């Protein structure tokens, strides 16, 4: 079993140890569930009260902590407890699934595909004509990568993922199970003679470096050119990104949120869970879309919006307060 002393963990975190403990730390855990040999963290002052009843021997805390560590217990003070805890989780992370051979004999790789050094391909995967895969990329079992795609180096593609023809994925990306890159955009037009006529989607998807896409999420190909995800974007599970949408760098989309076609996000945009964005909408740098919101018009840079339809967050909170009072008064 992996274990560390508090000093060994602090050598990684470079924080300040307050108090002491002789116990070896065997795992990270939530405050409420931790045992006496486990490390936890307090990322917000409202959780300080849980320390008294927690059994954890060590907690990673912010520098403004206002409680004592206690006997044979200790704090590691850092600038950002959430970020520091991510380093601790890396220390205890189990090894990923093992490949007994680099290229499984049941994988089908076209003769024209270019496979970089150190690439691993799992059982039942298919890599099509003229695909280029960069070095040290890992492709888990039952992945499909169709014709003329490119995958950068050190990317991880989990089982069930489909990357359709002519799409491009950067380096250091993570594609979680069953995500779909490059399916047709949702394009149909009514026709008196034929009913709904399908509009061909002849573009592709371009994904930058260090992008992470969650399980069962979909990024549709462009109608004419490309659907684009900039470097560092993080996409949660069950997210829909419509055709010809363009995301800047470091955008976040939480679970069940969705972009209709031709939406443009600036850099650092945050979209909360289950929010939906109307087609041809522009959202400026650093804007925040609250969970469950419906955006039907352009949003300025740095603005936070809430509600359905979404309005300035302060206005939404005022509206909700007024409505609450009206309901309360009507029941008197």
């Amino acid at each position: 079993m992996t274990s560390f002393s508090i000093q060994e963990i602090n050598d990684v975190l470079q924080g300040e140890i307050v108090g002491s403990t002789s116990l070896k730390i065997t795992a990270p855990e939530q405050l409420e569930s931790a045992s006496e040999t486990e490390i936890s963290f307090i990322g917000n002052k409202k959780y300080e009260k849980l320390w008294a009843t927690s059994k954890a021997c060590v907690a990673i805390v912010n520098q403004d902590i206002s409680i004592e560590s206690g006997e044979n217990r200790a704090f590691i003070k850092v600038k950002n407890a959430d970020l520091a805890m991510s380093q601790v989780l890396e220390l205890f992370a189990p090894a990923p699934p093992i490949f007994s051979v680099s290229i499984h004999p049941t994988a089908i790789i076209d003769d024209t595909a270019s496979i970089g050094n150190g690439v691993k391909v799992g059982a039942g995967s298919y890599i099509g004509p003229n695909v280029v895969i960069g070095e040290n990329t890992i492709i888990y079992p039952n992945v499909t990568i169709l014709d003329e795609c490119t995958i950068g180096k050190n990317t991880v593609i989990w089982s069930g993922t489909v990357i359709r023809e002519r799409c491009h994925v950067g380096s250091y990306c993570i594609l979680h199970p069953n995500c779909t890159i490059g399916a047709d955009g949702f394009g149909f037009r009514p026709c008196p003679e034929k009913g709904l006529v399908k509009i061909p989607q002849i573009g592709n998807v371009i994904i930058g470096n260090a992008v992470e896409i969650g399980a069962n999420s979909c990024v549709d190909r462009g109608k004419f050119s490309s659907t684009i995800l900039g470097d560092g974007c993080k996409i949660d599970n069950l997210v829909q990104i419509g055709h010809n949408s363009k995301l800047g760098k470091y955008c976040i989309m939480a679970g069940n949120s969705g972009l209709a076609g031709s939406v443009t996000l600036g850099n650092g945009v945050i979209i909360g869970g289950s929010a939906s964005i109307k087609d041809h909408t522009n959202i400026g740098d650093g804007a925040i879309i609250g969970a469950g919101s419906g955006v039907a018009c352009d949003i300025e840079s740095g603005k936070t919006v809430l509600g359905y339809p979404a309005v300035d967050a302060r206005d939404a909170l005022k509206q909700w307060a007024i409505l609450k009072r009206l309901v309360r008064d009507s029941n008197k």
Side-chain angles (χ1 to χ4, degrees), residues 149-320:
C149 290
T150 63
I151 312 294
K153 64 182 181 180
N154 295 291
T155 283
V156 177
I157 303 175
W158 287 93
S159 297
T161 294
V162 175
I163 304 174
R164 275 190 48 182
E165 64 276 12
R166 304 187 310 280
C167 292
H168 306 290
V169 178
S171 299
Y172 302 97
C173 293
I174 302 173
L175 305 185
H176 287 281
N178 299 310
C179 68
T180 300
I181 309 300
D184 285 358
F186 192 65
F188 299 91
R189 290 295 180 270
C191 171
E193 293 78 26
K194 300 180 180 179
L196 291 174
V197 174
K198 182 176 175 63
I199 306 299
Q201 309 288 300
I202 65 172
N204 68 346
V205 174
I206 299 175
I207 294 174
N209 298 322
V211 172
E212 186 162 348
I213 300 179
N216 295 299
S217 289
C218 300
V219 184
D220 290 347
R221 68 176 53 246
K223 181 194 298 183
F224 302 116
S225 52
S226 301
T227 302
I228 298 173
L229 277 64
D231 293 348
C233 287
K234 308 301 180 187
I235 309 300
D236 199 357
N237 301 336
L238 297 167
V239 169
Q240 162 66 21
I241 298 176
H243 62 89
N244 289 105
S245 289
K246 292 178 171 55
L247 283 65
K249 295 181 179 180
Y250 309 113
C251 294
I252 294 173
M253 293 185 65
N256 286 300
S257 61
L259 308 181
S262 300
V263 172
T264 300
L265 306 185
N267 296 325
V269 171
I270 298 174
I271 297 180
S274 298
S276 55
I277 317 298
K278 181 183 177 293
D279 59 291
H280 298 275
T281 300
N282 296 313
I283 298 179
D285 293 351
I288 299 174
I289 313 300
S293 298
V295 176
C297 60
D298 293 351
I299 304 297
E300 299 173 5
S301 296
K303 195 169 186 178
T304 299
V305 296
L306 290 173
Y308 204 99
V311 296
D312 182 275
R314 290 167 296 184
D315 291 339
L317 293 173
K318 290 176 184 176
Q319 291 172 9
W320 297 344

